[in-house]
Amino acid sequence: MANITTVVGASGQTFAVTVNGGQTQLLAQQYQTALSTLHTSGGLESYDLVAGSNSATGSNPGHGLISQGGDYSVSGGTTQYISVGSYSESGQDTLNSAVSLDVSGSTASSISVLAGDYAGVTFKAGNQNGTFVGGVGNNTFNGAGSSGNWTVATGDGNDTITGTSGNNTISGGVGNNSIVLGSGTNVVRSEGQDTIDGLTGTDTVTLLGGSSVVTLGSNATVYDTTSHNTVSGGNNSFITGGSSSTYFSTGAMSTVSGGLNDTISASADLWQVRGTSNSITASGSLTFLNGTGATTVSAGTSTLFGASGLDLLLVGGSASSTNLFVGGDGNETVSAASSNGTLHAFAGTGNETIIGGSSADTLVGGSGSATLTGGSGAANLFALTKGAAGGDYTITDFGSAAGNLMALYQYGLQNNNGLANVLSSATVAGGNTTIELSDSSKITFVGVSDLNASNFTLS
């Protein structure tokens, strides 16, 4: 909803400026307060600017007003405030003629601009610091070649913003905006469906509108609060995930936190923290912490810490790829059936289903119940450790790969005919064999009726 901000014009007349959007209205109120304070104290000179060159002089800060379309430039150091709108006794802003405003020749240390032109304002910044508010229309802020620090906010138009090489705070409204960031420190609040590019600065971007495309360099931070965004970050970038968005990391290391149904790709190493049902590809090393939901992972190497509800599918990789999985609490499923790498999996405290691939995998039961499938390729190692076990375990395919072994650690079964006693007490039913250990762990070997000592390794 558009609001009218009124300021004092030349000869004390009322001057109206239209602004649209929360951030533009906030800055417009601050602008209005600053002018009112100066005017009340007698420390403000207000005057009309004319198309062409303007160079006011005076000891007090100057307030230039533009109420007609045209090309304007401002030089000298007096004009510190510029309003673009309409003179109106009723407080209505009717300006609908394009304005071009160039302050690159100004020597003022700071300039504030409040613009409400339905036809849009094209603004060229200088090396001063300043604030530009484009309240309505399609506005252009051009800070290329300038070194000042600027705060820029636009309304609901389709705006074009090119930052300076200084530090910029930019708020793009709900339109389709194009934002190019400079080499300084930049903070961007994006409400629209924006294209944001910045490869040379240190950038923090918050996405509020969705369906934006963001391309940033090293040390970038992106907060994706919506969905269907596409974000690329360089080395040491950090992204908080949204929903159904796509993220690319082009640097040596990056982090994506959270996210739901996101697609995440990294050209090197990646950390993914507390995501839900994401698809993750890392050419280098992946560290996956406390993720859940139906998740797909392909990585050069991976270290994976699960959480309740995780349904993890490992795919791709190479024969040299290694995946380490450590289960958490609750029910989890991990499958490496479509992976070319090796899986080392340690079940947690909940009910776990762990499926190996074609490599020589290691599947270790935890304190909860677990169903373990080694796969039919190379020989696998199944294992329990006394003190970390105690559940019911089912090994579905112990006989499917030659050389499969069951490791029993810390049970002391290598002494005093311990293993022989366990095997002699085994239960064979329906072609399956079940053994019970001293900590009440029960292991069922599906499809195995001739279990013997050569199937075990002890320590």
Side-chain angles (χ1 to χ4, degrees), residues 87-134:
Y87 283 105
S88 173
E89 292 298 328
S90 63
Q92 296 300 309
D93 176 12
T94 59
L95 181 60
N96 191 12
S97 181
V99 168
S100 174
L101 175 59
D102 186 344
V103 301
S104 61
S106 170
T107 58
S109 62
S110 177
I111 292 180
S112 296
V113 178
L114 178 63
D117 184 349
Y118 288 95
V121 173
T122 298
F123 178 78
K124 172 60 180 165
N127 291 325
Q128 65 281 111
N129 300 328
T131 299
F132 175 82
V133 179

Side-chain angles (χ1 to χ4, degrees), residues 50-67:
V50 297
S53 300
N54 296 267
S55 181
T57 59
S59 58
N60 289 328
H63 173 209
L65 298 110
I66 298 174
S67 58

Side-chain angles (χ1 to χ4, degrees), residues 94-419:
T94 59
L95 181 60
N96 191 12
S97 181
V99 168
S100 174
L101 175 59
D102 186 344
V103 301
S104 61
S106 170
T107 58
S109 62
S110 177
I111 292 180
S112 296
V113 178
L114 178 63
D117 184 349
Y118 288 95
V121 173
T122 298
F123 178 78
K124 172 60 180 165
N127 291 325
Q128 65 281 111
N129 300 328
T131 299
F132 175 82
V133 179
V136 291
N138 300 331
N139 298 285
T140 297
F141 176 91
N142 183 5
S146 302
S147 59
N149 302 325
W150 281 83
T151 297
V152 180
T154 58
D156 60 1
N158 299 325
D159 303 303
T160 300
I161 301 170
T162 302
T164 71
S165 61
N167 301 328
N168 298 281
T169 300
I170 298 170
S171 297
V174 297
N176 298 319
N177 305 303
S178 174
I179 301 173
V180 178
L181 304 175
S183 58
T185 299
N186 303 292
V187 177
V188 179
R189 184 178 187 270
S190 165
E191 296 184 53
Q193 290 71 54
D194 298 341
T195 300
I196 303 172
D197 294 302
L199 296 176
T200 59
T202 301
D203 306 317
T204 300
V205 175
T206 300
L207 300 174
L208 302 172
S211 300
S212 291
V213 178
V214 182
T215 305
L216 303 176
S218 299
N219 302 309
T221 300
V222 177
Y223 300 102
D224 182 355
T225 69
T226 53
S227 63
H228 298 93
N229 295 297
T230 300
V231 179
S232 176
N235 186 47
N236 200 37
S237 58
F238 178 87
I239 299 170
T240 60
S243 174
S244 301
S245 291
T246 301
Y247 307 122
F248 300 94
S249 168
T250 59
M253 174 64 193
S254 62
T255 300
V256 177
S257 178
L260 171 65
N261 295 324
D262 293 327
T263 300
I264 305 169
S265 301
S267 61
D269 297 345
L270 174 70
W271 282 58
Q272 216 281 294
V273 183
R274 295 187 181 278
T276 301
S277 300
N278 295 322
S279 176
I280 306 166
T281 302
S283 296
S285 174
L286 169 67
T287 300
F288 176 90
L289 302 177
N290 304 118
T292 188
T295 301
T296 302
V297 165
S298 176
T301 61
S302 65
T303 301
L304 311 151
F305 293 87
S308 180
L310 177 65
D311 185 0
L312 176 64
L313 177 63
L314 299 170
V315 300
S318 66
S320 61
S321 298
T322 300
N323 303 293
L324 170 63
F325 171 78
V326 179
D329 56 3
N331 300 334
E332 298 173 286
T333 298
V334 179
S335 174
S338 299
S339 171
N340 298 317
T342 301
L343 174 64
H344 301 290
F346 295 81
T349 61
N351 297 325
E352 306 271 356
T353 299
I354 301 176
I355 303 170
S358 58
S359 295
D361 301 316
T362 301
L363 310 182
V364 182
S367 59
S369 298
T371 299
L372 308 176
T373 302
S376 59
N380 304 294
L381 179 68
F382 303 87
L384 292 181
T385 300
K386 187 175 183 179
D392 292 337
Y393 310 94
T394 300
I395 301 176
T396 66
D397 64 342
F398 190 76
S400 64
N404 279 350
L405 286 174
M406 181 73 224
L408 299 175
Y409 300 126
Q410 307 301 320
Y411 286 94
L413 296 179
Q414 68 274 30
N415 303 316
N416 302 318
N417 297 316
L419 179 59

